[in-house]
Amino acid sequence: MAQINEKLASLLDILKEMDTVAVGFSGGVDSSFLAAAAQRALGDKAVAVTAYSETLPESERQEAIAIARQIGIRHVLLHISELESAEFVANTADRCYYCKRERFSALKKWADTQGIAWVLEGSNADDTSDYRPGMRAIDELSGVRSPLLEAGLTKDEIRELSKEWGVPTWNKASAACLSSRVAYGLPVTAERLKQIEQAEEFLKQFCTGQVRVRHHDRLARIEVSQADIPVLAQPDKAVLISEKLRQLGFAYVTLDLSGYRTGSMNAVLNLKNNQ
C-alpha cells in the first residue's frame, strides 16, 4: 500500500505543478480517475473535455456527462470528426495514431483558446506492454501529457484508488472506440460505425458481460464473454440476432467461439509480423 500511496502523491504533485489542465475525458476508468485527481489537486483550474464524434457511442457520451457530474468537475463537450482525416479513414495498422493525433490536436487547440496550459490523457503504466500506436502521437504533441503513466500507476492501482475515492468507474469494464471494431484495411465510415453501435446495443439485452461486434465488411463477428456464448447460441435468440444484424446490412453473422478479448483485431498484425 505504501508504494501506491507514493505513486498517488507523485500524481498529485505533477498535477499541481501544471497549474491549469484540460483532461481528455471519455468516462472510462483511467480518464475518470485522472479527472477526479485533477479536480482534487487543482479545483476550478481543472476541466474535463469529452471530444465526441461518430466513433463514440451515444450511450457512452451520456455516461461521460453523468460521471463528470458525479466527480464534480466542470465538463465540456467538444465535437470533432476523425472521419475528416483520410489517413484515419484508410484504417491501417496506425489508425489509432491518426485518431489520437486528430483528437488531442483538437483538444490542445481548444485549451489554448481557454488559456489552459496542459492537456492530459489517460494512458497508464500497463499501456506500454500492448500495441498502442496512439501513444506515439501523444509523445509528438507539445503541451500534452500522461500523468498516470508518469506516476507509474497501473490499471489495478487506478481501480483500487478509484474505489477508495468513490469514483463510480472503479469497476467499469474496459471500452474502446467504435472504429476499433472495423477490420484493418476496411475504410472507417459513419455508416459502418452506426452499424456496429446499433448491433451492439441490440446484443446487450442478452448479455451480462462485454459485447463487441467486429466489422469484417459483409460479415459481423460477435465477441462476448464465454458465459454469454451459449445464451446467444440458443436457436430462438440466434434467429433474432441474425435477422437484426442482417437488417443492419450484414450478409453473414458469426459467433466467435474464442469469446471476447481485448485487441483481437491485432491478431492479423501479429501474423504478419511472424511471417
Side-chain angles (χ1 to χ4, degrees):
M1 191 64 185
Q3 186 180 31
I4 191 173
N5 286 334
E6 289 176 5
K7 292 181 180 181
L8 177 58
S10 175
L11 173 65
L12 295 176
D13 286 342
I14 290 169
L15 293 169
K16 289 173 184 176
E17 290 172 2
M18 291 185 188
D19 191 48
T20 55
V21 301
V23 181
F25 184 73
S26 67
V29 176
D30 298 324
S31 67
S32 294
F33 176 71
L34 182 56
Q39 199 274 335
R40 287 193 178 206
L42 297 170
D44 293 340
K45 292 191 289 185
V47 58
V49 183
T50 300
Y52 69 97
S53 69
E54 298 91 342
T55 67
L56 181 71
E58 176 60 21
S59 60
E60 291 186 25
R61 185 169 79 97
Q62 293 301 325
E63 191 170 7
I65 294 171
I67 292 169
R69 187 179 301 118
Q70 291 179 62
I71 291 172
I73 191 170
R74 183 164 70 92
H75 186 215
V76 172
L77 294 170
L78 179 67
H79 183 262
I80 66 168
S81 181
E82 298 94 339
L83 298 183
E84 295 177 3
S85 166
E87 295 164 317
F88 172 81
V89 170
N91 196 19
T92 66
D94 280 339
R95 181 198 62 239
C96 289
Y97 166 81
Y98 297 118
C99 175
K100 209 86 164 181
R101 188 183 68 181
E102 293 291 320
R103 184 171 294 266
F104 278 88
S105 292
L107 284 171
K108 186 63 174 71
K109 184 176 180 180
W110 178 86
D112 288 343
T113 67
Q114 305 298 309
I116 296 173
W118 294 96
V119 171
L120 311 184
E121 74 93 36
S123 293
N124 64 62
D126 292 333
D127 291 330
T128 58
S129 62
D130 194 10
Y131 177 69
R132 295 181 182 270
M135 294 181 69
R136 177 160 50 92
I138 298 302
D139 290 339
E140 294 173 358
L141 292 171
S142 62
V144 181
R145 290 175 65 177
S146 308
L148 301 176
L149 179 59
E150 291 179 32
L153 284 161
T154 65
K155 177 73 83 173
D156 286 344
E157 290 169 336
I158 289 165
R159 289 188 184 277
E160 182 179 340
L161 289 168
S162 294
K163 184 177 183 180
E164 182 181 324
W165 283 9
V167 179
T169 53
W170 70 271
N171 63 345
K172 185 177 181 179
S174 298
C177 76
L178 292 172
S179 60
S180 68
R181 277 77 141 169
V182 183
Y184 289 118
L186 189 65
V188 178
T189 65
E191 292 75 21
R192 287 184 173 125
L193 296 174
K194 182 57 67 174
Q195 273 183 295
I196 295 166
E197 181 178 6
Q198 292 177 342
E200 290 185 353
E201 283 300 314
F202 181 79
L203 288 167
K204 285 176 182 177
Q205 66 183 299
F206 306 116
C207 301
T208 57
Q210 289 274 32
V211 175
R212 295 288 187 274
V213 174
R214 309 297 189 183
H215 200 307
H216 298 265
D217 198 10
R218 302 287 284 163
L219 183 145
R221 178 169 57 87
I222 300 169
E223 290 183 16
V224 295
S225 69
Q226 287 290 338
D228 285 327
I229 288 177
V231 176
L232 299 191
Q234 292 175 13
D236 57 336
K237 290 185 176 63
V239 170
L240 286 175
I241 292 165
S242 181
E243 288 179 350
K244 177 63 176 179
L245 269 61
R246 286 173 185 271
Q247 289 172 9
L248 293 174
F250 293 105
Y252 306 99
V253 181
T254 66
L255 180 59
D256 192 323
L257 299 183
S258 295
Y260 165 74
R261 58 237 187 252
T262 302
S264 71
M265 287 302 204
N266 293 337
V268 295
L269 303 181
N270 295 334
L271 286 173
K272 289 179 181 178
N273 291 336
N274 291 331
Q275 289 177 351

